[in-house]
Each structure stands twice: as C-alpha cells, then as structure tokens.
Amino acid sequence: MRLSELATSEKGTITRIHGSGAFRKRIMEMGFIRGKNVEVIRNAPLLDPVEYRIMGYNVSLRRQEAWLVEVIPGEEYRVETSAGIFAGDQGCRHQGYRVDGKVINVALVGNPNSGKTSLFNQASGAHERTGNYSGVTVDARETTIHHGGYLINLTDLPGTYSVTEYTPEELFVRTRLLEGRPDVVINVVDASNLERNLYLTTQLIEMNVRVIVALNMYDELQKSGAKLKFDELGTMLGIPVVPTVAVRGRGILELLNRVVEVYRGENPISRPVRINYGSSVEPSLEALQKEIRKNGGAPDGFPDRYLAIKLLEGDRKVTAMVEGISGYRSLAAMAQAERNMLAKAFGDEVDSVMADARYGFIAGALAETMTPAKNSAVSPGRDPDSLLTHRIWGYPIFLAFLFIMFQTTFVAGSLPMEWIESGVSRLGAMAGNLIPPGSFHDLLVDGVIAGVGGVIVFLPNILILFFFISLMEDTGYMARVSFIMDKLMHRIGLHGKSFIPLLMGFGCNVPAIMATRTLENRKDRVMTMLIAPFMSCSARLPVYVLIISAFFEKRQGLVLFSVYLTGIVLAISVALLLKKTIFAGKDVPFVMELPPYRIPSMRNTFRHMWFNAKQYLHKMGSIILVASVIIWALSYFPRLEEGTRMERLEHSWIGRAGHFIEPAVQPLGFDWKLGVSIVTGLAAKEVVVSTMGVLYQGDEAGEVGTAGLGERLREQEHASGRLAGQKVFTPFVAVAFMLFVLIYFPCVAVIAAIKKESATKWALFSMFYTTVLAWIVAFLVNQAGKWLF
Ligand code: GDP
Ligand code: MG
C-alpha cells in the first residue's frame, strides 16, 4: 500500500520509492529509504499535508508525494530481495534479509551471447551468494553485491532480441521489467554488433526504465578498427554507456558506480528520450495517449506512451490486458481503428513501420558517433546514403532538389492559379449582377468574394509545395537533409532537425510551427518557433510581386531573392543572439532518425498533403474571411453621401485610423494607407495586398482591386504634410515596405500556433520583437535612401 493510505498513528515500513529524478532524490534525502519505519503523526486540517515521523524526526509530505512511497503496514518488516517483488515468483522467494535500507534492484538485460552471464559471474565472483531459481518458464539467476555502501541485487535475465511477445523469454523479461520494476536495468550490448543490439535498448527507452548500457566486447570493437564515441552516443540516448570486457572483468566497477549514480538520480546523462515515429504514426499515438490519460493513466506500471505504442502495434498480451479492465476496453477498439487506418496508408503493417522507425533512430545515432571499420558492409536499405548524405555531394543534390521544388511550385502552379482567378472574377460579376445595389451587394462583392478570392488563388502553389514536402518526408529523404544540415545548424545553436520546420516555413509558418514537435529539446523548439516566421511564407509573396513589378524594372528575380535572403540572415542573427542571451547553456545532443528509404505510397503522400492544405483552407475560411469583412466594413462606414471615393475612404473608420497611426510609420517613409495595410496584415499577410487594392483606388469607377494596382502605386503622392506633392514610393520606400512585411508580426494564425505549441509568453514575445525589428530595419533602409539622395 501507499504511505498516503496509512491512518493517523499507524506505522509502516518503506518498501520502495516510486517517481523519478529530483523528487526521488529529495524524498530519499529526507530519510524515506527502503527498510525505514514511518509513523503517521497527524493530518493537517484539510488532510494535506501529512506529518510523519521518520529516523527520529518529524517531516511533512504532501499527500501526492506520500502516494509515491510504498509501505507495508506494521513495524520491523523483513524487506525481501527483488525475488519476492517480481511477479509470478510465488513459491520461490528466497534470501529475505534485514537490510540497512540501501538496496538497489538491478536486472541484466541483453541479446543472447552479449556476455550477460560473463558479466554476472565477474560481478558476483568475489562476493556473496549466487542463487539459482526457476521463474515461470525460464531461468533467472540472482546475486547480491556490496558496492559503494549499497546492496545491489543483480538478476541475470534470459537473453532476448526484443521485449515483444513472440517468445516466452521475451514475455518473461517484459513482465519482470514492467511489474517488477527493477530500480536500474543494465543493458548488456555486444559492441561488435551495435545496430541489432541497440534495438532492445530502444524498447527499454520506451518502457521508461532507468538504463545503463554495458558496452560489452569492447575489445572486439577496438580490434575491428571501428571507432565509437560512446560518451556522445550515451548523451544522445540519455543512457550512460560504459565500455566493458566482461570476460576479463574490465569496466565492471565503473558500471556499478554508474548504477549507484543513476539510482540516486545523480547521473547527468540519464534522462528520458523519445523515439519519434514520424508524422503519420505520432498523431495516432497521441490520440491513444489522450484516451489513456482520460482513464487516469495506464495500469500496472505501464508508462502511458508505452501502452499506446504496444496497443498500436497490436500486441496481443497488452490488448488482452486492456480488454480485461473496465473503462479501458474502448482503447483496444480505438487502437484497432488507428492501426487499420495506418496500415492502409502505408500498405504495410504498423508494427513493421514502427520497427523501421526504431532502426532509423539507431542508424541516426550511430551515423553521428561511429566510424565503422574500413571493410565493413553497409547495411541494406541504407545504400543511397553513401551518395545522399555524402560529405560533398549531399549538398548540391539537396540544392538541386530545392530548386526543382520551388520551380515546380510556381511554374506548375501558375496555370490552375489563372483558372481560379478567372473563376473568382466571374463569380464576383455574377453575384454583382444578381444582387441589387446596396450595402449587402458591396459586402459580398468587395468584401467577401474579393477578399477570400484574392487568397484562394494561392491554393495550387501551396498544394504543390506541400506535395513535395510530404514526398520528402515519406521517402525518408527529409531525415537525410536534417542530417547533412546538422553541422551548419549547430553553428547557429540549433539542431539539424530544426531545418525541416524552417524549410516548411517557406510554404506556411503554421505547419512549420507544428513541425517543431519533432524536436525533443524544449529550448530548441522555442528557438525554432521564434525564428521560423523569418522564412518568408507564401502569403507574403503577393506583396513582393506587386511591389517589385511596380518599382523594379530590371533584376526583379534578384530583388526577390534578396528579400528572402534577408529573412534567412535575420533568422540566423536572431538565433545567434537568442543563443547568447535567453537560451544560453549547453545543448543536449539528440538522435536524428535515419529511417530506411521507402517508396512512398501515393495515398499516404496525398493524405499528408491534404492534411497540410486543410489547415491553410481553414485559415482562409475563418481568419481571412472575417478579416476581409471587417476591413470592408471599416472602409465603408461611416458613409459619406457626397464626395469622391477617396474622400469617402478618408472619412471611413479605416481612413481615420490610418491617419491616427501615420506618425508611427512616417519615419519609415510610409503614408497612412500603407500604415493601414500593415495593420490589416496582422490578420494574414495576404490581406496586405487586398487592403492596398481597396485603399489605393483611382477616382474612376472600376479602378478597385488589384488589377492595375501597380500603376496606381507609382502615381501615388503624399496628400498632405511636409512631403505633400512628392511621390510616396521611392525604391527605398518600396524595399523598406517589403522588408517590413517580411519581418513584422507573423500573422494571427502563427501566433496562435506558437501559443498552442509553447506558451503565451513566447507568443507575446514573438509579436513584440518582430514588430520592433521590422520598424528598425525599415527605418534604416529609408534613412539610408534619404542620405544617399
Ligand atoms: P550471454 O548469452 O549474454 O549470457 O553471454 P555469455 O556470457 O554466455 O557470453 C557469450 C560468449 O561471449 C562467451 O563465449 C564469452 O566468453 C564471450 N564474451 C563475453 N564477454 C566478452 C567480452 O567482453 N569480450 C570478448 N572477446 N568475449 C566475451
Ligand atoms: Mg547467459
């Protein structure tokens, strides 16, 4: 039972401490150690916290903390060794003895022939009892070692390649790990066959047990000529790695030191790591985990995510277990549905897709830390890597791919773009004819159809871009790209994986922000989110196209390229700055998965593409529609019956607002209309152009919208003030405006995404610093222009 369940004045003996890390350490420092007696002194008035007496002094614990301490009621209980705690072992309990409260239960796990038994013998050889007893179907041996003031119960479990359910050994090991919950697991790994051996390690990572890797047969590895940066590998896996030569007893003391350290929560490397299953499987896992949490968490010591993984894989034992517990039954059905859906999309069973992801995790970790022996064979399925992640060739190949991607996006997108454009204008004309003139007519034609239509034309480009991105993801090439970019990204304090969200940012920043989910480290995630908006998204492109074609006759492509480049340079500078200030500190390296190459199923690729496009459509259906209507209304009311269109506009709310903020944008060389466009662009940057279409209208009827807008911009003059009569746009003002649109406030949808993925604080920070930066950059450009001429 749990300590929190003891009544006032009852006594108990502590049998184990649950929880992890800092909490565990703290509670043990307070004296809550296995084997100690506790007495409940009193409950606080509201039943929380509770005062306990332990080791001769009184302490108070919150109820939820006390719940993590397992006790047996009564005094002077004989604490059993792990044999008694492991499940399924009734009848073979042995060697119960009184301990000084410092017992660590350690299990040895590893592939057959990795050297577990040798290690076990060496560790126990000079020491105490070695017992032999039978488990359910398979043997396990147990011994006790004194080390560093602790009593270590070491159990040698049968060899397994994995901990799934295929063989009795595997099942036995799994039951022991999950239900017995040893304090520390030593994973014995054959260093001369790392890729296969680490598969088991990935499963241990998922079971959320505290692991130490004994990198055994290290002598063989050295002899082969291969090199392994095992410290780095350990840091990536979040598992201390100790090289050992079990037959000679080398490294075993070191190993035991690590065991004590990890047990005490003092090892700096030991941390939970998450294996990422990719953008198709992760949402299913997330959905299952959510359902599990709704039921109050996974039963029987299963970590939530591990239970979700096993259910999705269709593990029969786990499924049966879940079906046996009321309240969890729906989970099995849900897992089945998700599994079928994924199997259809992949054209393959989900468990093999997930095994691939684990091997991809291993391949990624080894690619960064291991230099294989000269004559060793490349593992099958990863052959193209010798070219695609080549030290030199990797980059031109990637650049060529990028070029094809952007080129296709714009060239192949232009034709359907024209269709949609003419469709929208026909729809506008039709609606205009059908509906009698009046406010409603104007709202529908000038507000809704013009506003949303101006944006929907970009849908083909966006679909194509997302098609390429999905294709890169599904073939496994995306992972290689992060891999080859890792070095460069490290220079700016980011990780190779940040490259993908940044790349996606060129399409739309919303999915880019969501793509940061693959980054395990929170610091990297937030940093990536903060700089991703500088990757100029496709919504900003119409602004550039409008301005460049109006004010630059020559070298249009170069100007456009420079704008994009400015964004990239800013992103790098801001990253460097953040790294030195808010996010200073050491990086935690982590594994970049290198999944095997797959021929993507078109079905899956289209599903991805559609998922991304749906978010874009959603944005249009909601934010842009609302924004268009609001902008239209603000520029329509209050109505002036007399006067030119221009006078009416200046009389409207938006006209007044524009004049109000004019002083703020004047130093940038902008007039009040640009100021208004910037304000409306907060909703979505596509709206900047449609607002300009409304504001820079000619005096003649029909001179509205974006047709001929460039001409009207060129003729635009300052209406009043110091600059009255001068042209609004100089090339410098044009550039300042483009840069302002590039840099300032991403858009409402992106801010919402940042808030959802990180915290309100970062959303606010992002709003603020981008706008200030935009103002400064535009100011500098405008002042430079004045100074030069
Ligand atoms: P188990 O199946 O995991 O229990 O592995 P064993 O302990 O039975 O070892 C398998 C074989 O590997 C035996 O022949 C050992 O002598 C050998 N072996 C174990 N550890 C080492 C090591 O560190 N270096 C070398 N070269 N051989 C080892
Ligand atoms: Mg053995």
Side-chain angles (χ1 to χ4, degrees):
M1 77 192 280
R2 300 302 172 97
L3 182 56
S4 53
E5 292 161 349
L6 283 184
T8 304
S9 84
E10 265 189 334
K11 290 179 180 165
T13 307
I14 297 171
T15 51
R16 57 184 298 154
I17 312 289
H18 295 263
S20 61
F23 168 75
R24 192 186 167 87
K25 205 174 147 215
R26 190 172 79 85
I27 206 166
M28 289 197 312
E29 280 166 1
M30 290 164 81
F32 288 86
I33 298 171
R34 196 175 146 84
K36 290 284 178 225
N37 298 316
V38 256
E39 188 185 346
V40 184
I41 302 297
R42 69 174 68 83
N43 281 293
L46 295 172
L47 296 180
D48 206 12
V50 184
E51 188 177 342
Y52 296 101
R53 185 166 187 80
I54 189 163
M55 288 166 101
Y57 75 105
N58 295 3
V59 288
S60 82
L61 279 190
R62 268 182 282 145
R63 210 159 259 282
Q64 84 195 68
E65 292 172 333
W67 191 80
L68 293 166
V69 178
E70 205 167 293
V71 294
I72 294 173
E75 263 176 298
E76 297 299 310
Y77 188 84
R78 281 160 64 92
V79 175
E80 310 256 37
T81 62
S82 58
I85 294 172
F86 279 150
D89 289 333
Q90 270 73 15
C92 54
R93 289 191 176 192
H94 78 150
Q95 297 165 357
Y97 45 85
R98 204 170 298 242
V99 292
D100 56 357
K102 292 171 149 191
V103 179
I104 313 178
N105 291 309
V106 179
L108 281 175
V109 177
N111 287 10
N113 284 321
S114 56
K116 287 183 308 303
T117 306
S118 310
L119 200 142
F120 180 86
N121 288 338
Q122 281 287 344
S124 63
H127 301 284
E128 295 182 5
R129 305 164 271 235
T130 303
N132 224 333
Y133 67 91
S134 276
V136 191
T137 50
V138 246
D139 283 356
R141 292 203 302 160
E142 179 160 315
T143 188
T144 311
I145 309 162
H146 284 288
H147 185 86
Y150 284 84
L151 213 55
I152 297 180
N153 276 328
L154 193 63
T155 314
D156 184 16
L157 294 178
T160 52
Y161 292 110
S162 82
V163 275
T164 40
E165 51 167 344
Y166 300 117
T167 66
E169 285 85 4
E170 289 180 6
L171 206 53
F172 177 76
V173 171
R174 181 163 93 185
T175 311
R176 286 227 149 181
L177 293 181
L178 284 174
E179 288 168 23
R181 279 268 139 188
D183 299 310
V184 179
V185 170
I186 295 181
N187 179 203
V188 184
V189 161
D190 176 353
S192 57
N193 191 350
L194 272 176
E195 196 167 1
R196 194 198 68 206
N197 272 254
L198 287 175
Y199 188 75
L200 180 59
T201 315
T202 59
Q203 294 186 314
L204 295 174
I205 288 175
E206 281 171 347
M207 292 171 99
N208 222 359
V209 288
R210 287 188 287 176
V211 188
I212 295 171
V213 163
L215 189 67
N216 197 36
M217 314 233 184
Y218 193 64
D219 52 337
E220 303 263 327
L221 179 96
Q222 283 176 317
K223 225 171 30 198
S224 75
K227 292 220 164 42
L228 178 70
K229 296 183 223 157
F230 56 83
D231 276 336
E232 232 169 83
L233 178 67
T235 317
M236 280 183 178
L237 302 179
I239 296 174
V241 175
V242 183
T244 58
V245 183
V247 277
R248 297 215 192 81
R250 268 166 51 195
I252 289 177
L253 281 182
E254 166 92 7
L255 191 65
L256 295 177
N257 287 341
R258 290 293 99 77
V259 168
V260 173
E261 254 178 48
V262 167
Y263 176 72
R264 290 164 62 102
E266 286 166 0
N267 189 289
I269 288 172
S270 186
R271 69 190 158 97
V273 163
R274 222 181 77 168
I275 293 163
N276 177 27
Y277 286 98
S279 50
S280 296
V281 177
E282 285 292 337
S284 297
L285 285 177
E286 236 166 72
L288 281 170
Q289 257 174 289
K290 212 163 132 201
E291 188 67 24
I292 291 169
R293 277 197 292 269
K294 231 196 283 165
N295 284 312
D300 285 355
F302 275 78
D304 294 351
R305 184 171 165 89
Y306 181 70
L307 181 62
I309 288 169
K310 286 293 137 193
L311 287 173
L312 194 61
E313 283 181 327
D315 185 296
R316 256 175 296 138
K317 186 95 193 302
V318 173
T319 307
M321 177 196 86
V322 163
E323 280 173 334
I325 307 174
S326 67
Y328 287 88
R329 264 176 221 127
S330 61
L331 266 176
M334 184 174 168
Q336 178 74 46
E338 294 285 333
R339 189 159 61 244
N340 291 344
M341 191 262 295
L342 289 171
K344 247 192 225 149
F346 281 107
D348 197 353
E349 287 303 316
V350 180
D351 55 351
S352 69
V353 171
M354 293 174 80
D356 280 351
R358 288 188 197 112
Y359 274 116
F361 177 84
I362 297 165
L366 290 180
E368 277 187 63
T369 54
M370 182 146 157
T371 322
K374 284 262 152 18
N375 51 7
S376 76
V378 187
S379 56
R382 293 174 213 284
D383 275 335
D385 275 349
S386 55
L387 190 63
L388 294 181
T389 64
H390 189 272
R391 208 157 40 84
I392 296 159
W393 292 112
Y395 297 96
I397 292 173
F398 172 51
L399 282 181
F401 182 83
L402 271 193
F403 179 77
I404 293 171
M405 177 168 109
F406 282 117
Q407 197 66 15
T408 315
T409 301
F410 291 109
V411 174
S414 63
L415 195 62
M417 193 168 171
E418 279 164 26
W419 299 338
I420 296 180
E421 229 165 16
S422 66
V424 167
S425 65
R426 223 171 296 156
L427 184 72
M430 223 165 70
N433 289 337
L434 278 178
I435 299 163
S439 298
F440 182 67
H441 169 279
D442 296 348
L443 165 70
L444 201 68
V445 176
D446 300 337
V448 176
I449 295 178
V452 175
V455 175
I456 209 166
V457 295
F458 299 108
L459 187 63
N461 305 57
I462 283 168
L463 280 174
I464 295 169
L465 192 65
F466 283 130
F467 172 77
F468 273 97
I469 287 170
S470 305
L471 201 65
M472 270 170 90
E473 260 182 11
D474 293 350
T475 50
Y477 185 52
M478 189 80 109
R480 272 69 186 182
V481 169
S482 340
F483 188 76
I484 61 172
M485 295 307 291
D486 192 44
K487 260 244 167 60
L488 291 175
M489 299 300 287
H490 264 307
R491 296 241 170 96
I492 60 167
L494 283 173
H495 195 273
K497 271 191 187 172
S498 303
F499 188 71
I500 291 167
L502 295 181
L503 192 63
M504 291 176 74
F506 287 117
C508 173
N509 289 152
V510 174
I513 301 289
M514 293 195 303
T516 60
R517 280 182 198 168
T518 54
L519 290 157
E520 173 197 330
N521 183 303
R522 197 183 149 72
K523 199 176 77 182
D524 287 345
R525 273 198 77 184
V526 174
M527 243 173 96
T528 310
M529 282 184 222
L530 291 181
I531 64 168
F534 292 132
M535 301 297 120
S536 188
C537 70
S538 54
R540 288 169 244 190
L541 188 61
V543 182
Y544 309 150
V545 171
L546 171 69
I547 300 284
I548 290 175
S549 48
F551 297 102
F552 297 88
E553 274 166 27
K554 279 181 259 165
R555 304 215 178 81
Q556 296 184 330
L558 189 68
V559 177
L560 184 62
F561 180 72
S562 312
V563 173
Y564 275 82
L565 196 67
T566 309
I568 295 170
V569 170
L570 274 175
I572 294 173
S573 322
V574 169
L576 285 173
L577 195 71
L578 288 175
K579 187 77 188 163
K580 292 233 164 65
T581 54
I582 307 179
F583 296 109
K586 251 183 76 184
D587 305 331
V588 186
F590 61 90
V591 176
M592 256 175 319
E593 297 88 0
L594 290 184
Y597 287 99
R598 289 174 164 274
I599 309 263
S601 83
M602 276 303 134
R603 196 194 161 98
N604 204 26
T605 305
F606 280 110
R607 209 165 67 94
H608 265 163
M609 180 178 103
W610 177 240
F611 177 74
N612 285 321
K614 212 165 61 184
Q615 284 169 336
Y616 183 78
L617 285 174
H618 185 252
K619 175 170 145 187
M620 278 188 310
S622 52
I623 294 171
I624 295 179
L625 175 64
V626 172
S628 308
V629 171
I630 291 176
I631 291 162
W632 171 84
L634 289 177
S635 64
Y636 196 77
F637 300 107
R639 296 205 67 180
L640 197 64
E641 293 307 327
E642 305 283 296
T644 62
R645 299 175 72 116
M646 209 55 234
E647 283 163 353
R648 279 192 222 161
L649 196 58
E650 291 207 51
H651 184 73
S652 72
W653 292 117
I654 215 165
R656 296 177 199 189
H659 282 294
F660 181 72
I661 64 159
E662 200 173 8
V665 295
Q666 221 162 27
L668 315 180
F670 302 169
D671 63 355
W672 66 272
K673 296 176 188 174
L674 286 182
V676 170
S677 309
I678 284 168
V679 173
T680 57
L682 297 179
K685 301 232 168 151
E686 294 95 334
V687 181
V688 172
V689 171
S690 39
T691 307
M692 288 169 78
V694 175
L695 295 184
Y696 292 104
Q697 47 189 245
D699 274 337
E700 322 251 322
E703 283 195 341
V704 219
T706 44
L709 180 57
E711 183 62 32
R712 279 178 270 146
L713 289 182
R714 269 197 300 272
E715 289 162 3
Q716 202 57 218
E717 287 171 2
H718 282 285
S720 57
R722 204 159 39 81
L723 297 169
Q726 283 186 36
K727 288 264 191 282
V728 171
F729 284 96
T730 65
F732 282 92
V733 171
V735 169
F737 184 65
M738 284 193 289
L739 292 181
F740 195 94
V741 170
L742 165 72
I743 302 166
Y744 87 113
F745 191 100
C747 75
V748 175
V750 170
I751 294 294
I754 293 178
K755 177 176 179 303
K756 188 156 157 269
E757 299 290 323
S758 62
T760 311
K761 143 177 109 162
W762 293 121
L764 290 173
F765 180 72
S766 184
M767 283 158 66
F768 183 72
Y769 96 94
T770 51
T771 307
V772 170
L773 189 65
W775 196 91
I776 293 172
V777 170
F779 179 75
L780 291 179
V781 170
N782 187 41
Q783 293 304 315
K786 279 194 187 152
W787 185 73
L788 282 173
F789 301 99

